[in-house]
Short mmCIF file of all heavy atoms in Angstrom, two decimals:
data_model
loop_
_atom_site.label_atom_id
_atom_site.label_comp_id
_atom_site.label_asym_id
_atom_site.label_seq_id
_atom_site.Cartn_x
_atom_site.Cartn_y
_atom_site.Cartn_z
N SER A 1 9.23 -88.98 -48.80
CA SER A 1 10.42 -88.28 -48.29
C SER A 1 10.88 -88.83 -46.94
O SER A 1 12.01 -88.59 -46.53
CB SER A 1 10.13 -86.79 -48.16
OG SER A 1 9.14 -86.54 -47.18
N ILE A 2 10.00 -89.57 -46.24
CA ILE A 2 10.39 -90.15 -44.96
C ILE A 2 11.46 -91.23 -45.15
O ILE A 2 12.34 -91.39 -44.32
CB ILE A 2 9.15 -90.74 -44.24
CG1 ILE A 2 8.20 -89.61 -43.81
CG2 ILE A 2 9.56 -91.56 -43.03
CD1 ILE A 2 6.92 -90.09 -43.18
N LEU A 3 11.38 -91.94 -46.28
CA LEU A 3 12.35 -93.01 -46.54
C LEU A 3 13.71 -92.40 -46.85
O LEU A 3 13.82 -91.51 -47.71
CB LEU A 3 11.89 -93.88 -47.70
CG LEU A 3 10.59 -94.67 -47.47
CD1 LEU A 3 10.19 -95.39 -48.74
CD2 LEU A 3 10.74 -95.64 -46.32
N PRO A 4 14.77 -92.85 -46.18
CA PRO A 4 16.12 -92.29 -46.41
C PRO A 4 16.73 -92.83 -47.69
O PRO A 4 17.40 -93.86 -47.69
CB PRO A 4 16.89 -92.73 -45.17
CG PRO A 4 16.21 -94.00 -44.74
CD PRO A 4 14.77 -93.86 -45.11
N ALA A 5 16.52 -92.13 -48.81
CA ALA A 5 17.07 -92.58 -50.09
C ALA A 5 18.59 -92.61 -50.06
O ALA A 5 19.22 -93.43 -50.71
CB ALA A 5 16.57 -91.67 -51.23
N ASN A 6 19.19 -91.70 -49.29
CA ASN A 6 20.64 -91.66 -49.14
C ASN A 6 20.97 -91.69 -47.65
O ASN A 6 21.09 -90.64 -47.02
CB ASN A 6 21.21 -90.39 -49.79
CG ASN A 6 22.73 -90.40 -49.84
OD1 ASN A 6 23.38 -91.16 -49.15
ND2 ASN A 6 23.31 -89.54 -50.69
N PRO A 7 21.09 -92.88 -47.06
CA PRO A 7 21.31 -92.97 -45.61
C PRO A 7 22.56 -92.23 -45.15
O PRO A 7 22.57 -91.63 -44.07
CB PRO A 7 21.44 -94.48 -45.37
CG PRO A 7 20.74 -95.12 -46.52
CD PRO A 7 20.97 -94.20 -47.68
N THR A 8 23.63 -92.27 -45.96
CA THR A 8 24.86 -91.58 -45.56
C THR A 8 24.62 -90.08 -45.43
O THR A 8 25.06 -89.45 -44.44
CB THR A 8 25.96 -91.84 -46.59
OG1 THR A 8 26.16 -93.25 -46.74
CG2 THR A 8 27.27 -91.20 -46.15
N ALA A 9 23.92 -89.49 -46.39
CA ALA A 9 23.62 -88.06 -46.31
C ALA A 9 22.73 -87.75 -45.11
O ALA A 9 22.91 -86.72 -44.44
CB ALA A 9 22.95 -87.59 -47.60
N SER A 10 21.77 -88.63 -44.83
CA SER A 10 20.89 -88.41 -43.68
C SER A 10 21.68 -88.42 -42.37
O SER A 10 21.43 -87.60 -41.47
CB SER A 10 19.81 -89.49 -43.64
OG SER A 10 19.03 -89.46 -44.80
N ILE A 11 22.65 -89.33 -42.28
CA ILE A 11 23.47 -89.40 -41.06
C ILE A 11 24.33 -88.15 -40.94
O ILE A 11 24.44 -87.56 -39.86
CB ILE A 11 24.34 -90.67 -41.09
CG1 ILE A 11 23.45 -91.90 -40.96
CG2 ILE A 11 25.37 -90.64 -39.97
CD1 ILE A 11 24.19 -93.22 -41.13
N VAL A 12 24.93 -87.71 -42.04
CA VAL A 12 25.79 -86.53 -42.01
C VAL A 12 24.98 -85.28 -41.65
O VAL A 12 25.44 -84.43 -40.88
CB VAL A 12 26.48 -86.34 -43.38
CG1 VAL A 12 27.20 -85.00 -43.43
CG2 VAL A 12 27.47 -87.48 -43.64
N GLN A 13 23.76 -85.18 -42.17
CA GLN A 13 22.92 -84.02 -41.90
C GLN A 13 22.21 -84.09 -40.56
O GLN A 13 21.55 -83.13 -40.15
CB GLN A 13 21.88 -83.88 -43.01
CG GLN A 13 22.48 -83.61 -44.39
CD GLN A 13 21.47 -83.72 -45.50
OE1 GLN A 13 20.28 -83.95 -45.25
NE2 GLN A 13 21.92 -83.58 -46.74
N GLY A 14 22.32 -85.23 -39.86
CA GLY A 14 21.68 -85.36 -38.57
C GLY A 14 20.17 -85.48 -38.64
O GLY A 14 19.46 -85.06 -37.73
N ASP A 15 19.66 -86.06 -39.74
CA ASP A 15 18.22 -86.25 -39.91
C ASP A 15 17.78 -87.44 -39.07
O ASP A 15 17.85 -88.59 -39.51
CB ASP A 15 17.91 -86.48 -41.40
CG ASP A 15 16.41 -86.51 -41.68
OD1 ASP A 15 15.62 -86.53 -40.70
OD2 ASP A 15 16.02 -86.49 -42.86
N MET A 16 17.30 -87.15 -37.86
CA MET A 16 16.98 -88.21 -36.91
C MET A 16 15.82 -89.09 -37.38
O MET A 16 15.81 -90.29 -37.16
CB MET A 16 16.67 -87.62 -35.53
CG MET A 16 17.86 -87.01 -34.86
SD MET A 16 19.21 -88.20 -34.67
CE MET A 16 20.53 -87.11 -34.13
N LEU A 17 14.83 -88.48 -38.02
CA LEU A 17 13.70 -89.27 -38.49
C LEU A 17 14.16 -90.29 -39.53
O LEU A 17 13.72 -91.45 -39.51
CB LEU A 17 12.62 -88.35 -39.09
CG LEU A 17 11.35 -89.05 -39.60
CD1 LEU A 17 10.70 -89.85 -38.48
CD2 LEU A 17 10.39 -88.03 -40.18
N ALA A 18 15.05 -89.87 -40.44
CA ALA A 18 15.57 -90.80 -41.45
C ALA A 18 16.37 -91.92 -40.79
O ALA A 18 16.29 -93.09 -41.21
CB ALA A 18 16.44 -90.05 -42.45
N VAL A 19 17.15 -91.58 -39.75
CA VAL A 19 17.93 -92.59 -39.04
C VAL A 19 17.01 -93.59 -38.36
O VAL A 19 17.24 -94.81 -38.37
CB VAL A 19 18.87 -91.92 -38.01
CG1 VAL A 19 19.54 -92.98 -37.14
CG2 VAL A 19 19.90 -91.07 -38.72
N VAL A 20 15.92 -93.10 -37.76
CA VAL A 20 14.96 -93.98 -37.10
C VAL A 20 14.31 -94.92 -38.11
O VAL A 20 14.17 -96.13 -37.86
CB VAL A 20 13.90 -93.15 -36.35
CG1 VAL A 20 12.72 -94.03 -35.92
CG2 VAL A 20 14.51 -92.49 -35.12
N VAL A 21 13.90 -94.37 -39.25
CA VAL A 21 13.26 -95.20 -40.28
C VAL A 21 14.24 -96.26 -40.77
O VAL A 21 13.88 -97.44 -40.94
CB VAL A 21 12.75 -94.33 -41.44
CG1 VAL A 21 12.28 -95.20 -42.60
CG2 VAL A 21 11.64 -93.42 -40.97
N LEU A 22 15.50 -95.86 -41.01
CA LEU A 22 16.51 -96.83 -41.45
C LEU A 22 16.71 -97.92 -40.41
O LEU A 22 16.80 -99.12 -40.75
CB LEU A 22 17.82 -96.10 -41.73
CG LEU A 22 19.02 -96.97 -42.13
CD1 LEU A 22 18.73 -97.69 -43.45
CD2 LEU A 22 20.28 -96.13 -42.23
N ALA A 23 16.79 -97.52 -39.14
CA ALA A 23 16.97 -98.51 -38.07
C ALA A 23 15.78 -99.46 -37.98
O ALA A 23 15.95 -100.66 -37.76
CB ALA A 23 17.18 -97.80 -36.75
N LEU A 24 14.57 -98.94 -38.17
CA LEU A 24 13.39 -99.79 -38.14
C LEU A 24 13.43 -100.82 -39.28
O LEU A 24 13.15 -102.01 -39.07
CB LEU A 24 12.12 -98.93 -38.27
CG LEU A 24 11.73 -98.11 -37.04
CD1 LEU A 24 10.58 -97.17 -37.38
CD2 LEU A 24 11.33 -99.02 -35.89
N LEU A 25 13.78 -100.36 -40.47
CA LEU A 25 13.84 -101.28 -41.61
C LEU A 25 14.92 -102.34 -41.41
O LEU A 25 14.70 -103.54 -41.67
CB LEU A 25 14.11 -100.50 -42.90
CG LEU A 25 12.98 -99.54 -43.33
CD1 LEU A 25 13.42 -98.74 -44.56
CD2 LEU A 25 11.71 -100.30 -43.62
N VAL A 26 16.10 -101.92 -40.94
CA VAL A 26 17.19 -102.87 -40.72
C VAL A 26 16.82 -103.85 -39.59
O VAL A 26 17.06 -105.06 -39.70
CB VAL A 26 18.50 -102.13 -40.38
CG1 VAL A 26 19.59 -103.11 -39.96
CG2 VAL A 26 18.97 -101.32 -41.58
N GLY A 27 16.23 -103.33 -38.51
CA GLY A 27 15.87 -104.19 -37.38
C GLY A 27 14.82 -105.23 -37.76
O GLY A 27 14.93 -106.40 -37.38
N ILE A 28 13.81 -104.82 -38.51
CA ILE A 28 12.80 -105.77 -38.96
C ILE A 28 13.41 -106.79 -39.90
O ILE A 28 13.10 -107.99 -39.85
CB ILE A 28 11.63 -105.02 -39.63
CG1 ILE A 28 10.90 -104.15 -38.60
CG2 ILE A 28 10.64 -106.00 -40.26
CD1 ILE A 28 9.84 -103.25 -39.20
N SER A 29 14.32 -106.33 -40.78
CA SER A 29 14.97 -107.25 -41.71
C SER A 29 15.82 -108.28 -40.97
O SER A 29 15.88 -109.45 -41.37
CB SER A 29 15.83 -106.47 -42.70
OG SER A 29 16.49 -107.33 -43.60
N VAL A 30 16.46 -107.85 -39.88
CA VAL A 30 17.30 -108.77 -39.11
C VAL A 30 16.49 -109.92 -38.55
O VAL A 30 16.94 -111.07 -38.49
CB VAL A 30 18.03 -108.01 -37.98
CG1 VAL A 30 18.64 -108.96 -36.97
CG2 VAL A 30 19.12 -107.13 -38.56
N THR A 31 15.24 -109.62 -38.16
CA THR A 31 14.39 -110.68 -37.60
C THR A 31 14.00 -111.72 -38.63
O THR A 31 13.56 -112.82 -38.27
CB THR A 31 13.11 -110.07 -36.99
OG1 THR A 31 12.36 -109.41 -38.03
CG2 THR A 31 13.45 -109.06 -35.90
N GLN A 32 14.15 -111.39 -39.91
CA GLN A 32 13.80 -112.31 -40.99
C GLN A 32 15.02 -113.11 -41.49
O GLN A 32 14.87 -113.92 -42.41
CB GLN A 32 13.18 -111.54 -42.17
CG GLN A 32 12.04 -110.63 -41.78
CD GLN A 32 10.87 -111.37 -41.18
OE1 GLN A 32 10.48 -112.44 -41.66
NE2 GLN A 32 10.31 -110.83 -40.10
#
């Protein structure tokens, strides 16, 4: 449940943990 299956819904609902996890995944992916 930590993984944001629907990032848009997580952003709308203000789920900060989901936003952090999404940012971590995107940031790590950018380095690759």
Side-chain angles (χ1 to χ4, degrees):
S1 65
I2 292 176
L3 296 175
N6 189 343
T8 304
S10 299
I11 292 174
V12 171
Q13 296 170 4
D15 187 350
M16 292 302 170
L17 181 58
V19 173
V20 167
V21 172
L22 177 63
L24 287 172
L25 294 176
V26 172
I28 294 173
S29 179
V30 166
T31 62
Q32 308 299 317

